[in-house]
Amino acid sequence: VNFGDWVNDSIALKKADVSFAMGSGTEVAKEASDIVILDDNIISISKAILYGRTIFKNIRKFIIFQLTVNVAAVSLALIGPFIGVPSPITVIQMLWINMVMDTLAGLAFSYEVPRIEYMKETPKKKEENIINKYMLNEIITSGLYTLIISLLFLKLPIIKELFQDNNHLMTSFFSLFIFLAVFNAFNARTHRLNIFAHLKENKVFITIILFIIIVQILMIYFGTTIFQTTPISLEEFTIVFLMSFTIIPLDFIRKIIFINICNRMC
């Protein structure tokens, strides 16, 4: 890191990994710098670092969420034909899943607020991968769990018997996949055991989650023609909702195991 305001500082500013110049400095110094502090207040640097770290963390949260859904969806598409389920989700339904996975999730995680605790962390190395061991652990664990519970839901006779017919089963599966993603969003947004930590600070996240749930319910009961769904009973909906919720205690156990392993290794 290098600071400079004058012409003779330009060489050092150019060579530095991260260089700063004051807004009142020379044009040469500002051109050579990576960051220009327009208000000439050195405290602005700490704010810039805080917001930079927050953005980086939010990107990682979004990646965890998205790759978990992708791992499950791609694996299901590959394995499905071999177990007699070639296309458990229609094209239109997949478009809704993609909207939840990309646009809505991106908005939800982007509004996670900066926290002063981020400033206590050691700086990231330039060569550090964006996907770390913790993220990989969560993506694989949650992705495989989503795949396994999806396969059991579609093929296990004891589960299939809980639904009136195949149309009810496939509509319920569509809802199961969405609700698994919704509940996993809570897991992805924090590394804490308490998934509701600081949740009130991100009202956009809460709003988007509620929006997804409401739209999904509307699709089940009023989107029968467009989304090829069949209205399911309250009992069937409850079964789907509770099965989806199991991804939260699963990730709670995963976090405890991961924390214990890290403590032993440290």
Side-chain angles (χ1 to χ4, degrees), residues 128-190:
E128 180 174 342
N129 295 324
I130 192 167
I131 299 179
N132 57 24
K133 291 181 180 179
Y134 177 87
M135 294 171 65
L136 194 61
N137 179 273
E138 183 169 356
I139 291 166
I140 293 174
T141 303
S142 299
L144 287 179
Y145 180 77
T146 301
L147 172 64
I148 290 169
I149 199 171
S150 297
L151 293 175
L152 292 176
F153 189 91
L154 292 169
K155 298 301 294 183
L156 204 62
I158 193 172
I159 294 179
K160 294 173 72 174
E161 290 172 2
L162 297 173
F163 300 90
Q164 292 183 30
D165 52 37
N166 190 62
N167 289 332
H168 282 243
L169 179 69
M170 299 314 293
T171 296
S172 298
F173 174 73
F174 172 44
S175 301
L176 174 77
F177 204 86
I178 288 293
F179 289 137
L180 278 167
V182 167
F183 287 126
N184 194 50
F186 288 92
N187 295 331
R189 66 169 291 274
T190 180

Side-chain angles (χ1 to χ4, degrees), residues 199-231:
L199 182 60
K200 291 181 180 179
E201 297 174 10
N202 190 350
K203 292 181 173 59
V204 173
F205 181 92
I206 299 171
T207 302
I208 288 175
I209 292 298
L210 290 174
F211 173 78
I212 294 171
I213 293 173
I214 292 169
V215 171
Q216 182 62 29
I217 293 172
L218 291 175
M219 285 181 182
I220 295 172
Y221 296 101
F222 301 100
T224 54
T225 303
I226 299 174
F227 293 96
Q228 300 178 30
T229 57
T230 302

Side-chain angles (χ1 to χ4, degrees), residues 86-106:
S87 54
I89 297 174
T90 67
V91 175
I92 298 297
Q93 291 171 356
M94 185 57 73
L95 288 174
W96 168 237
I97 291 173
N98 284 333
M99 184 177 291
V100 171
M101 191 169 57
D102 297 328
T103 308
L104 296 177

